[in-house]
Amino acid sequence: MTRARRLTVLGAAAALAGSMVAIPAAAGSAAPPRPDAARGRATAAPEKSPVAVGYGGAVSSVDADASAAGISVLRKGGNAVDAAVATAAALGVTEPYSSGIGGGGYFVYYQAGSHSIRTLDGRETAPRSAGKDLFLEHGTPLPFDQAVTSGLGVGTPGTPATWDTALRTWGSRSLGQVLGPARKLAADGFTVDATFRQQTADNEARFRDFPATAGLFLPGGKLPAVGSTMKNPDLARTYGELANKGVGALYDGALGRDIVRTVRKPPVRPGSTRRVRPGKLTAADLRAYRALSQAPTHTRYRGLDVYGMAPSSSGGTTVAEALNILEKSDLSRLSEQQYLHRYLEASRIAFADRGRWVGDPAQENVPTKGLTSQRFADSRACLIRDDKVLTSPLAPGDPRHPKPCGSAGKAAPTTYEGQNTTHLTVADKWGNVVAYTLTIEQTGGSGMVVPGRGFLLNNELTDFSFAPADPAVHDPNLPGPGKRPRSSISPTIVLRHGRPVVALGSPGGATIITTVLQTLVNHLDRGMPLADAIAAPRASQRNAAQTELEPALWNSPLRTQLEALGHAFKPNPEIGAATGVQRLPDGRWLAAAEKVRRGGGSAMVVHPN
């Protein structure tokens, strides 16, 4: 999740030794200078801009410090993979409620030399002891908030393995080298903004029940002040340990033992009345973890090649299916109402099929090729009518045996998925591109900081279905031993004749899919510049009775026009928070981020021009 959505942290009575420290800013200074440890002088925090154009490579993320970390690696000759890991590690400092080494994610990489796309599935995994009843007590699903703040929701972290695998396979720098900017940022601190403070305040009650969390994020037992400097020396030391010992320190070392201890014996404040259930994670689960290298999803759209993340994420298949459904509609010529109607209906259909068919392919028979085929999309597109709205929940189709306008069983509603994560997009001077989305699930994850280590643990296992939405319909997303919960993360790279056109992604839980889909259509079909396609007001239909609308659409005549067709809406103040990069015809890179959502993003290039 971005800083604008960061969870508020529970304040503890006193900061623990070595915890994050808030240093008051000078009066009247919104962005105080930070000490430069190497030179003994102050450095100003980098400025935020939602658009940057130039040469030498580009980085776009939600945070200026994180984007600057990636740019610094590119300037020193690192490639896009090196810079992506550096940016992600910095987000672990400045976006600790949305990302970090206690979580996981999905990494999509375009290699310019071979004109090929590869991906890494760094999704967290359930303990090998987990069964379908992981979140059931006496046959009844646990209340969601109790599952979130528990050891039960914590999966084996995949982020460190993703970084290590990406660097060893495609990078040009060591893990220790690319962690350098983030280590310095953790040690020197970053400037607290209104978003960070609000996210801390939003979860204050929860975080106060964990002394390590409160000590880290509520120094002196208080919310951090806007304009103060937040330091995290514990995380700086943890990054140092990973730099010196490698990721084995987490998967088969002292750091891993600390994680297991935290999960199995949650460090709850004495006297707390909160029931925090222990988890089942073991050292053997950590040792068994691997980031999976796999082929991307692929579909053709308007003569372009669109690549995304294959299952265990549903992002690539669902975006591809929706694009394929829209392929035969000339969206560039439609009115705004007609375009939005078809976009919403395509999304509704694709989500119906996602819910029935997509889960962890290691344990479920996922028909990925069928879901991304034009033949299947055509069999589903015939459901769309220009004068009438489909009814949700819509029954799924069968991608294995497509039948025109046919279904393959009962309809089931889309299950809930947390909306908090963060995305970064990177390109380098050689033309390599990375789209990388990483997360700890809920803003603030499980709420549990590993004592003395400076990072929060995920609650990613709550992305499993606790129980089938409909007992009569097979649910491919129930928990299982070593299983990866289904995700909606959708890092996407679009090529033309083997060369990059645009790359993008977003946070936002299940709204990630609709954010990426709508941004692509805005840019590729409606002709919007990338920055405008990202900024445009969003609508999200996920096979639900009501479509979510951002305020600009909610307050627009378009809402009334769509309601006349039968659409039903509910407001959502903010949907997604995308970042992207685009290769311009003259060879320059354009980096684009949000202008307003979640506090605005940060786009940078190595050599502005």
Side-chain angles (χ1 to χ4, degrees):
M1 164 174 270
T2 65
R3 187 178 304 172
R5 304 273 304 182
R6 290 177 190 141
L7 276 177
T8 56
V9 213
L10 304 176
L16 299 181
S19 66
M20 182 177 280
V21 180
I23 302 173
S29 174
R34 296 193 303 267
D36 186 325
R39 301 181 183 179
R41 59 184 176 84
T43 58
E47 294 183 1
K48 266 190 175 183
S49 173
V51 182
V53 179
Y55 297 98
V59 179
S60 185
S61 80
V62 71
D63 183 79
D65 285 309
S67 294
I71 289 291
S72 72
V73 169
L74 293 176
R75 283 188 176 136
K76 294 175 182 177
N79 66 21
V81 173
D82 306 322
V85 175
T87 304
L91 287 169
V93 179
T94 62
E95 293 282 323
Y97 306 153
S98 308
S99 63
I101 58 173
Y106 296 90
F107 192 103
V108 177
Y109 170 58
Y110 167 76
Q111 190 171 46
S114 61
H115 306 294
S116 63
I117 303 277
R118 296 298 300 175
T119 74
L120 290 174
D121 180 331
R123 184 65 155 164
E124 301 89 335
T125 55
R128 293 181 297 175
S129 61
K132 292 182 179 180
D133 61 349
L134 180 64
F135 293 110
L136 301 180
E137 281 190 357
H138 310 296
T140 302
L142 291 175
F144 187 77
D145 63 334
Q146 293 183 28
V148 165
T149 309
S150 75
L152 285 175
V154 181
T156 301
T159 292
T162 302
W163 295 354
D164 182 63
T165 304
L167 290 170
R168 287 188 293 102
T169 308
W170 307 302
S172 67
R173 300 291 187 269
S174 69
L175 180 62
Q177 287 174 308
V178 300
L179 286 179
R183 289 177 66 184
K184 186 177 187 302
L185 185 60
D188 291 351
F190 66 93
T191 303
V192 173
D193 62 10
T195 299
F196 187 88
R197 178 185 168 89
Q198 185 58 51
Q199 289 178 344
T200 305
D202 290 343
N203 284 275
E204 184 174 357
R206 184 166 75 117
F207 286 178
R208 283 194 183 277
D209 283 334
F210 299 98
T213 306
L216 179 58
F217 296 119
L218 294 168
K222 299 178 180 179
L223 292 172
V226 174
S228 63
T229 299
M230 294 291 289
K231 298 184 178 183
N232 192 339
D234 282 350
L235 184 57
R237 285 190 289 271
T238 298
Y239 279 168
E241 187 170 342
L242 291 173
N244 294 327
K245 298 180 181 179
V247 297
L250 189 147
Y251 293 105
D252 192 19
L255 178 54
R257 291 192 290 274
D258 289 347
I259 291 173
V260 170
R261 185 181 306 112
T262 303
V263 171
R264 297 180 71 89
K265 296 182 179 180
V268 183
R269 172 179 56 84
S272 170
T273 59
R274 185 184 301 273
R275 182 182 177 187
V276 182
R277 293 167 177 82
K280 301 179 180 180
L281 191 71
T282 67
D285 292 320
L286 293 181
R287 287 194 297 270
Y289 186 84
R290 298 291 184 274
L292 303 178
S293 177
Q294 60 188 43
T297 59
H298 171 246
T299 194
R300 295 275 294 172
Y301 185 70
R302 315 291 191 212
L304 304 172
D305 292 287
V306 181
Y307 294 91
M309 196 67 223
S312 58
S313 180
S314 65
T317 58
T318 312
V319 169
E321 181 182 349
L323 288 174
N324 287 338
I325 290 171
L326 294 170
E327 174 75 30
K328 295 183 179 179
S329 298
D330 188 352
L331 301 182
S332 67
R333 294 178 178 271
L334 297 180
S335 70
E336 194 75 6
Q337 179 229 38
Q338 292 170 323
Y339 145 64
L340 284 170
H341 170 66
R342 292 193 191 179
Y343 152 70
L344 294 174
E345 295 293 79
S347 181
R348 186 192 311 271
I349 294 167
F351 264 88
D353 299 328
R354 162 197 184 265
R356 170 60 183 85
W357 297 106
V358 181
D360 183 350
Q363 300 187 30
E364 300 288 338
N365 184 15
V366 183
T368 300
K369 289 185 178 180
L371 287 167
T372 57
S373 71
Q374 190 64 51
R375 179 183 174 217
F376 177 58
D378 290 346
S379 77
R380 301 290 279 160
C382 64
L383 294 169
I384 299 177
R385 292 177 51 177
D386 287 337
D387 60 347
K388 187 177 181 180
V389 171
L390 292 165
T391 300
S392 288
L394 182 71
D398 188 344
R400 303 165 304 177
H401 308 289
K403 295 180 181 179
C405 303
S407 64
K410 292 183 61 178
T414 299
T415 54
Y416 175 79
E417 183 178 337
Q419 298 192 15
N420 308 322
T421 181
T422 193
H423 178 81
L424 61 96
T425 320
V426 179
D428 64 29
K429 63 183 179 182
W430 297 284
N432 303 302
V433 179
V434 172
Y436 180 28
T437 314
L438 60 160
T439 181
I440 59 172
E441 174 55 4
Q442 188 93 353
T443 304
S446 65
M448 298 188 297
V449 164
V450 180
R453 295 297 191 169
F455 63 91
L456 286 154
L457 290 174
N458 70 85
N459 65 289
E460 211 67 60
L461 301 187
T462 60
D463 270 354
F464 283 122
S465 303
F466 288 15
D470 185 330
V473 179
H474 175 73
D475 189 334
N477 192 41
L478 293 173
K483 193 173 183 179
R484 296 172 189 236
R486 181 174 62 209
S487 173
S488 294
I489 286 175
S490 309
T492 302
I493 298 179
V494 180
L495 306 182
R496 178 184 286 114
H497 306 309
R499 300 186 184 278
V501 173
V502 66
L504 74 157
S506 176
T511 69
I512 292 173
I513 291 169
T514 58
T515 295
V516 169
L517 174 63
Q518 190 173 3
T519 304
L520 283 173
V521 173
N522 283 343
H523 182 56
L524 300 177
D525 289 289
R526 306 292 286 181
M528 292 184 187
L530 181 59
D532 294 343
I534 288 173
R538 294 184 183 132
S540 182
Q541 167 52 239
R542 306 188 299 280
N543 196 25
Q546 293 177 299
T547 294
E548 295 176 11
L549 289 185
E550 287 189 324
L553 285 173
W554 179 263
N555 298 319
S556 163
L558 283 167
R559 186 184 106 190
T560 303
Q561 295 169 19
L562 289 166
E563 286 173 338
L565 293 178
H567 287 278
F569 298 107
K570 65 179 179 180
N572 184 331
E574 188 175 86
I575 299 173
T579 76
V581 299
Q582 177 186 4
R583 187 70 155 179
L584 300 177
D586 60 7
R588 291 181 299 166
W589 289 108
L590 180 148
E594 296 288 353
K595 297 178 180 179
V596 176
R597 294 182 184 95
R598 301 191 182 186
S602 172
M604 295 184 182
V605 293
V606 175
H607 301 296
N609 190 325

